[in-house]
Amino acid sequence: MNSASWLSVHNSEAAPLDALPVLSQVEFRQEVLSEIDAGARLAAFFGVPQPDETCRLILVLADDRSGSLALTSIEAHESYPALTPDCPQAHWFEREIAEQWNIRPEGHPWLKPIRFQAASRPGQTIWPETNTADILPSVTTFFQVRGAEVHEVAVGPVHAGVIEPGHFRFQCHGEHVFHLEIALGYQHRGIENALVGGPHKRTIHYMETLAGDTSVGHATAYCQAIEALADSQVSARAQALRGIALELERLANHTGDLGALAGDVGYLPTASYCGRLRGDFLNMTALLCGSRFGRGFLRPGGVGFEVESERVAQLLTRLDSTINHVAGAVNLLWETPSIRARFDDIGALTKETCRDLGLVGPAARACGLARDVRHSLPSGIFRDVQLPVSTCETGDVFARAYVRWLEIRRSAAFVSKQLKELPAGPSRSDVGPLLPRHVVAALTEGWRGEICHVALTDEQGRFFAYKVVDPSFHNWMGLAMALRNQQISDFPLCNKSFNLSYCGHDL
Amino acid sequence: MFKILKTRLQQGYRTSAYPAQAPVLPDRFRGRPVLDASKCVEECRACVEACPTDAIARTATGPRLDLGRCLFCTDCTQACPEEAIRFTQDHRLAVRARQDLVMDGDTLRLARALDDSARRLFGRSLNLRQVSAGGCNACEADVNVLNTVVFDLGRFGVQFVASPRHADGLLITGPVTRNMQFALRKTYDAVPAPKIVLAVGACAISGGPFIDHPEVHNGADSVVPVDLYIPGCPPHPFTILDGLLRLLGRIHDQQSSSS
C-alpha cells in the first residue's frame, strides 16, 4: 500500500480530515483496484458535498489480513471513471453516488437508481427515464429476457407475508429462473440527510430505527463513532454489556431465521419452537433495558441501564434453558433427511462470486470466506475476547443455515462467559464535544454482517456527513445471483437464508 | 419421529392465558406514562426540550403528552428534575380516535369495540393484510410474533392473509414513505368494503422518529382513514393483541389509570 495515497486507521479510530488524501481520478482507480486485487474489500464508498457544490467521494477499504482500515478520496464534479467494470463490489455504491449526487460513474454497466430518491445536489438528473427530480419507485429499466415461453413474474412492493416492501422480478422459463432483479427504495425515510448537523436529540433514535431488528448493532457502531470523535474511553463493564446485547440480538435473529427456514420447507415442529424461542431471547434483551429490541440500552459513553447481580443471575438461568431448547429444535433440522434434501445445493454461490460481490456476514462465511469484523477488525469487548469465525464451504441454503447454528452456539457461550465474568465499575461515563474536522469509520459485526458507519465533523464538531452501510447493502445482489438457475419455488428458501433488511438498505 | 415427540414434550405448553390473565412483563418495560403536573416547576421545560419527537408540550395546567408521537424512550424521565413523568407497567394503550392519545394526566380512554353490525361481520373472523410502509421492521416483527404459540392469534379468529382481496382490513406499520404512498392506497382500495384500518406503532400514527421528513407522510391517517391506533416504538405484542381484542369486543374495560 502506497502510504501517501491512503489514510490508514484502526476500526473506530478518529483521524483529522486534513490527513485524508485526495487523489487524482486516475491514481484513485489504480490504487483502489490494486488493493482490491490484493484482498482488501470495500466497506464504504460515498459522496460528501463541498461548499463549492462539487462533491468529494470517500472510499473506505477494510483489510482483513492487516486488521486495518484505509481511507482515500477524489474530487468529482460531473463524473469519474467507474470502478465497477473491474470491481463488481462497487456496483451498488456507484449507483448510490449517481443517485444521491448526480455524478456519473463513466462506464458503469448497469446504472440505475437504487432508492428512487431525489438527488441532494442540484443539476441535471442522470436518469434517462425521467426529466424531473421527482422519480417514482421502480420506474426504471429492468433486465429483460426474450424468447419463446420465456415469461416474467413480478412481485411486490407489498409482499404476501408480514414483511417489508420491495419489488422483485423473476425472468423465467417455466419454473426455471434465469435471473431475479430486485428493486428497493420503498422504505426510504431520509435518515442520512436528517443526521447532518447532529448529533442532536433524535440521532440515537435514528440509529435504533435504521433497521429495527439490528437496533443494537447500529447503535454500537454509532456509539463507537461518537466515542472516537470525542476521544473518550468506555469502561470494561460497559464494553462487556454491549457485547452481551449484540450477541443476544444475534441469537434472537438467527434462531428466528432457522425457524423461518423450517417453515418454508413445511417442517412445522422447528418452525413453531424457534418462533417462540426467538421471543425468549428478545425477552432477555428486554430484561436488560425494557425493550425487546434493545432500545435505550446503548448510549454514547456506555450503556443506559445498570445490570445488577440478580439480573445477571436471571439472565444466566434463562439463557441456559433457552439454548437447550434451541438445540433440541434445531437439531431436528439436521437429522431430517427431507430437510437436508431441500437445503442442499439450493441457491449456491461460489466463493469467487461471493468475493467479487463483496458479500459480508453469514452469507459470506457460508461460502468459506472468513469475514467477521469481531475477528479481523475487532472493537470493544471483541478486542479482548476472540470468537472463532464460523464458516461453511458449500455456499448454499444449508451452509447459510448451518453457519447460523454454529454462531448460535458460540454466541451463547460468549454471553454466558461474559455474564459470569462481568467486570465491576461504572457502566457509563460522560462524553465531551466532538473533535472538529475529523473523520471516523466504525465497524461492528451485526447479526446480518458488517455494519459500517462513517462520520465526518465540521469546524464546530457537528456532523456534516454521516454514512451508514448496512450489511444488506452488500448482500442484496448476492440473493439475486443465488436465484440464477433455481426454481421459483426455491425463492422463499433463498430469501430467508439471506434474510436481508429493506429499511437498513433504503435508510 | 421419536425425537420429534421427545422435543415436543421438552418444549412444553407455552400459550399465554391472555386476556384471562395479565401478562408478565419485564420490570423495565415502559407502558402507559403518568404525568403529575403538581410536581412541575414553573417555567421548567426540561421534558419538552428532551423529547426527540416533540411529543410533550407544556400547557397552562402542566405537561401534555401525545402518546402517538411517544417513542417510550425515557429521555423525558431522565431530563425531569422532579420525576413528574414516569412510565408504568400498563401495556394497555390502544385507542379509537387520534385525539384520545393526547394525555395530560394518567388516564387514557382505551379503545371501545366496533359497533354491533361491524362486530357481527368481523368479531369471530378477522382477516388482516399487513402493509409495512417504511417501518424499521421492529413493529413488523412484533406483529409477526402474534402468530407464535405464545400469543396464538388464531385462537381469536384473527389471521394475516396474503391478498387484500381476502382481507377485512389493513394493519399498517411505518410512517408511510413517499415511495409507499401509492402502493398503500392501492392496497386499501383493493380491500372490499366495509373495511377497517389499524395503525401500529409511533411511525404509523404520527411519523415517529421520521416525523416531518420530506420523504415521509406523517402516518397512516394522512393517506387512509384509521379505526384503531396502537402506540409504541414498537408496541409490545401484548399491547397489539390487547388493541385487537378491544376492537373485537373481547375486552371491555375502557379506562386505564393508576387511580
Side-chain angles (χ1 to χ4, degrees):
Chain A
M1 180 176 284
N2 178 356
S3 60
S5 305
W6 296 92
L7 169 62
S8 184
V9 286
H10 291 296
N11 182 2
S12 305
E13 180 193 1
L17 205 46
D18 299 324
L20 181 64
V22 186
L23 306 184
S24 74
Q25 294 190 346
V26 174
E27 204 182 356
F28 173 80
R29 200 167 188 285
Q30 282 169 353
E31 279 287 333
V32 173
L33 292 178
S34 87
E35 290 304 319
I36 298 277
D37 274 349
R41 56 197 172 77
L42 283 190
F45 184 27
F46 59 97
V48 171
Q50 300 296 297
D52 60 356
E53 290 202 341
T54 60
C55 225
R56 194 164 168 191
L57 304 184
I58 297 178
L59 186 139
V60 182
L61 281 184
D63 193 332
D64 295 312
R65 301 152 305 167
S66 64
S68 63
L69 299 168
L71 283 75
T72 193
S73 69
I74 46 167
E75 302 285 354
H77 187 53
E78 300 289 333
S79 67
Y80 69 99
L83 298 171
T84 303
D86 298 301
C87 172
Q89 57 179 304
H91 153 66
W92 221 255
F93 289 107
E94 296 198 312
R95 282 171 59 184
E96 183 185 55
I97 289 167
E99 176 170 66
Q100 290 181 337
W101 307 105
N102 283 334
I103 291 172
R104 181 177 292 276
E106 293 292 352
H108 191 291
W110 207 358
L111 192 59
K112 48 194 280 181
I114 63 165
R115 296 199 184 95
F116 302 90
Q117 70 179 93
S120 299
R121 181 166 158 260
Q124 179 63 38
T125 173
I126 61 174
W127 312 120
E129 300 85 4
T130 171
N131 290 317
T132 68
D134 200 23
I135 54 177
L136 294 166
S138 288
V139 177
T140 182
T141 50
F142 281 82
F143 189 77
Q144 288 196 337
V145 177
R146 291 201 183 85
E149 298 177 36
V150 166
H151 65 110
E152 184 176 84
V153 178
V155 189
V158 184
H159 296 305
V162 181
I163 183 176
E164 299 171 83
H167 179 67
F168 297 171
R169 287 195 191 185
F170 301 84
Q171 279 82 33
C172 318
H173 182 251
E175 272 284 293
H176 183 94
V177 179
F178 291 122
H179 180 66
L180 160 66
E181 186 163 0
I182 300 168
L184 302 169
Y186 294 93
Q187 303 280 81
H188 177 58
R189 294 146 287 161
I191 298 180
E192 283 181 344
N193 283 343
L195 290 169
V196 172
H200 45 64
K201 62 183 183 178
R202 268 198 222 176
T203 308
I204 185 71
H205 303 288
Y206 286 130
M207 298 300 161
E208 291 181 333
T209 52
L210 286 167
D213 51 23
T214 318
S215 293
V216 175
H218 277 292
T220 303
Y222 167 70
C223 287
Q224 287 175 184
I226 289 287
E227 287 147 9
L229 288 170
D231 198 16
S232 68
Q233 298 296 314
V234 178
S235 72
R237 182 179 178 82
Q239 297 284 22
L241 288 168
R242 283 180 180 180
I244 289 167
L246 187 71
E247 297 310 308
L248 282 175
E249 188 169 82
R250 192 179 326 273
L251 283 163
N253 285 298
H254 280 1
T255 304
D257 282 349
L258 290 174
L261 281 165
D264 272 344
V265 296
Y267 190 68
L268 299 186
T270 304
S272 165
Y273 307 149
C274 284
R276 190 267 298 183
L277 291 162
R278 172 179 168 278
D280 285 357
F281 287 122
L282 294 177
N283 290 337
M284 284 183 225
T285 301
L287 191 67
L288 288 174
C289 63
S291 159
R292 285 155 58 86
F293 296 90
R295 305 272 164 93
F297 193 61
L298 273 94
R299 288 295 177 265
V303 292
F305 291 86
E306 187 44 79
V307 181
E308 320 84 339
S309 51
E310 312 87 79
R311 214 172 282 274
V312 169
Q314 204 186 339
L315 273 170
L316 272 168
T317 315
R318 287 208 211 173
L319 179 70
D320 208 32
S321 144
T322 306
I323 198 69
N324 280 336
H325 281 143
V326 173
V330 172
N331 279 326
L332 290 176
L333 285 182
W334 321 129
E335 290 162 5
T336 307
S338 58
I339 302 264
R340 289 298 303 265
R342 282 295 285 131
F343 282 12
D344 283 346
D345 293 330
I346 300 297
L349 289 177
T350 63
K351 199 185 251 186
E352 287 68 42
T353 306
C354 181
R355 191 178 283 129
D356 286 349
L357 293 175
L359 304 192
V360 296
R365 295 195 280 277
C367 296
L369 291 179
R371 285 181 180 171
D372 189 326
V373 172
R374 292 171 296 174
H375 182 78
S376 56
L377 296 135
S379 55
I381 181 74
F382 302 105
R383 288 197 182 117
D384 306 325
V385 183
Q386 282 287 311
L387 276 169
V389 182
S390 307
T391 57
C392 228
E393 294 297 323
T394 47
D396 53 4
V397 169
F398 168 77
R400 287 186 285 274
Y402 202 73
V403 161
R404 282 176 165 83
W405 170 230
L406 294 173
E407 293 188 11
I408 284 173
R409 290 194 294 185
R410 285 166 179 172
S411 290
F414 169 86
V415 172
S416 177
K417 187 166 184 292
Q418 292 305 312
L419 283 171
K420 285 174 189 154
E421 297 170 1
L422 205 55
S427 51
R428 191 169 176 184
S429 52
D430 287 334
V431 174
L434 308 189
L435 293 165
R437 288 195 60 75
H438 269 63
V439 57
V440 64
L443 273 64
T444 299
E445 188 71 22
W447 66 275
R448 273 194 189 93
E450 175 183 300
I451 294 166
C452 177
H453 286 207
V454 188
L456 290 88
T457 54
D458 61 13
E459 279 75 9
Q460 285 75 45
R462 318 294 295 182
F463 297 143
F464 79 91
Y466 196 102
K467 184 74 209 161
V468 174
V469 186
D470 188 86
S472 306
F473 197 83
H474 298 281
N475 283 9
W476 272 109
M477 195 61 197
L479 172 61
M481 295 301 285
L483 247 285
R484 286 194 176 176
N485 296 318
Q486 301 294 307
Q487 307 270 297
I488 289 189
S489 50
D490 293 327
F491 173 69
L493 209 49
C494 291
N495 191 25
K496 294 275 172 33
S497 71
F498 279 87
N499 191 4
L500 300 174
S501 174
Y502 299 73
C503 56
H505 173 278
D506 293 348
L507 298 176
Chain B
M1 190 66 204
F2 175 70
K3 272 206 112 154
I4 296 176
L5 291 172
K6 192 174 145 223
T7 309
R8 172 69 194 84
L9 283 173
Q10 284 166 344
Q11 295 283 333
Y13 183 83
R14 300 287 174 175
T15 305
S16 83
Y18 198 82
Q21 274 176 29
V24 180
L25 296 166
D27 59 337
R28 285 173 175 167
F29 169 75
R30 297 180 284 280
R32 175 181 49 83
V34 170
L35 313 172
D36 187 351
S38 69
K39 288 185 178 168
C40 280
V41 178
E42 214 175 325
E43 302 295 312
C44 173
R45 291 173 49 83
C47 59
V48 177
E49 277 152 24
C51 180
T53 53
D54 302 327
I56 309 177
R58 188 72 201 269
T59 67
T61 53
R64 172 174 288 170
L65 174 62
D66 181 353
L67 220 49
R69 286 175 169 236
C70 182
L71 304 182
F72 297 76
C73 67
T74 74
D75 289 355
C76 57
T77 57
Q78 287 174 37
C80 178
E82 306 297 324
E83 298 184 356
I85 302 180
R86 66 185 176 85
F87 286 90
T88 70
Q89 290 269 290
D90 189 353
H91 67 286
R92 301 167 304 160
L93 298 169
V95 303
R96 290 294 303 276
R98 179 67 182 89
Q99 65 269 22
D100 287 348
L101 289 171
V102 181
M103 53 189 296
D104 50 15
D106 64 350
T107 57
L108 190 63
R109 216 151 66 99
L110 292 174
R112 61 187 191 287
L114 293 163
D115 63 33
D116 285 349
S117 64
R119 266 175 72 190
R120 268 197 296 280
L121 268 174
F122 304 133
R124 284 163 181 272
S125 160
L126 178 67
N127 290 334
L128 294 171
R129 175 77 270 255
Q130 198 269 333
V131 181
S132 167
C136 74
N137 205 25
C139 284
E140 290 80 350
D142 267 353
V143 166
N144 234 328
V145 299
L146 296 177
N147 289 318
T148 64
V149 291
V150 178
F151 302 94
D152 192 17
L153 195 60
R155 71 194 149 124
F156 303 105
V158 184
Q159 57 179 337
F160 292 98
V161 292
S163 164
R165 300 282 187 206
H166 302 158
D168 301 307
L170 299 181
L171 188 157
I172 301 170
T173 54
V176 187
T177 56
R178 215 186 49 169
N179 284 352
M180 268 305 281
Q181 192 256 355
F182 180 65
L184 174 61
R185 183 78 225 176
K186 281 196 66 156
T187 309
Y188 176 81
D189 289 343
V191 177
K195 49 193 160 189
I196 56 175
V197 173
L198 287 64
V200 171
C203 285
I205 297 173
S206 68
F210 317 109
I211 194 162
D212 294 334
H213 283 196
E215 295 85 356
V216 306
H217 301 266
N218 286 338
D221 62 9
S222 53
V223 182
V224 294
V226 171
D227 301 279
L228 185 74
Y229 296 88
I230 305 179
C233 185
H236 194 278
F238 275 119
T239 304
I240 306 171
L241 182 60
D242 176 78
L244 271 166
L245 296 182
R246 279 173 199 283
L247 192 69
L248 300 178
R250 304 284 189 98
I251 299 179
H252 295 288
D253 59 309
Q254 269 170 17
Q255 200 162 77
S256 143
S257 81
S258 51
S259 51

